[in-house]
């Protein structure tokens, strides 16, 4: 099955990063449906290292204020939900459930560098799935990298041991962005065919 033109528009061509949000809640049901889609995306060895913290209340999003770069404060704090996209450095402890291949857990447990690289790479991949699944469910998406990662980890993740990668604000855009879409590189500028 191939997506039709409307599906491609929804996910890519007409999807835009919102500048303002409508005052409309994102329901718990939508967030559960969102994760149910994200978790189906492939990761290497089914390692599934991404962890998601959904900040749904004004008070919890307000805790982000001091961690955000100035240009992101209003956009993030006014969103109905902001997701901390993180990864679990000890993802391999879940292999008994996710991939019981003999010796796989000990392979990662014995090599911290390999485990961290795998967790970061595959957690980033799962963050991309989050963006696409959110769009597929009719949400607008604001990915954010302008923040203090250490402060976010101290405030939200210290008890879990997870590492933050980026933030994603979710909701329903209030109107269309006023600026035109930023340029993208052409195929010839970004791709090689060997």
């Amino acid at each position: 099955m191939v997506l039709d033109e409307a599906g491609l528009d929804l996910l890519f061509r007409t999807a835009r990063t919102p500048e303002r949000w409508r005052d409309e809640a994102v329901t718990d049901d939508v967030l559960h449906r969102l994760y149910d889609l994200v978790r189906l995306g492939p990761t290497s060895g089914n390692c599934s290292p991404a962890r998601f913290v959904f900040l749904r209340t004004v008070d919890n999003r307000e805790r982000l204020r001091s961690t955000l770069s100035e240009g992101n404060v209003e956009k993030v704090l006014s969103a109905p939900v902001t997701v901390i996209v993180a990864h679990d450095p000890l993802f391999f402890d879940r292999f008994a459930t996710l991939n019981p291949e003999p010796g796989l857990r000990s392979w990662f447990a014995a090599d911290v560098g390999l485990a961290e690289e795998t967790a970061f790479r595959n957690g980033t991949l799962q963050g991309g799935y989050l963006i696409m699944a959110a769009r597929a469910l009719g949400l607008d998406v604001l990915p954010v990298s302008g923040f203090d990662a250490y402060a976010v980890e101290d405030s939200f993740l210290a008890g879990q041991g997870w590492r933050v990668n980026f933030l994603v604000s979710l909701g329903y855009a209030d109107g269309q962005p006023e600026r035109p879409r930023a340029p993208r590189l052409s195929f010839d500028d970004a791709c090689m065919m060997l």
Side-chain angles (χ1 to χ4, degrees), residues 42-78:
T43 56
S44 60
N46 200 37
C47 63
S48 303
R51 303 295 183 262
F52 304 98
V53 180
F54 294 93
L55 304 178
R56 299 167 38 249
T57 66
V58 172
D59 289 343
N60 277 319
R61 288 191 309 278
E62 185 63 36
R63 289 170 54 197
L64 284 174
R65 179 183 294 275
S66 66
T67 73
L68 297 168
S69 62
E70 187 177 322
N72 289 327
V73 172
E74 181 57 34
K75 293 185 281 191
V76 171
L77 297 186
S78 63

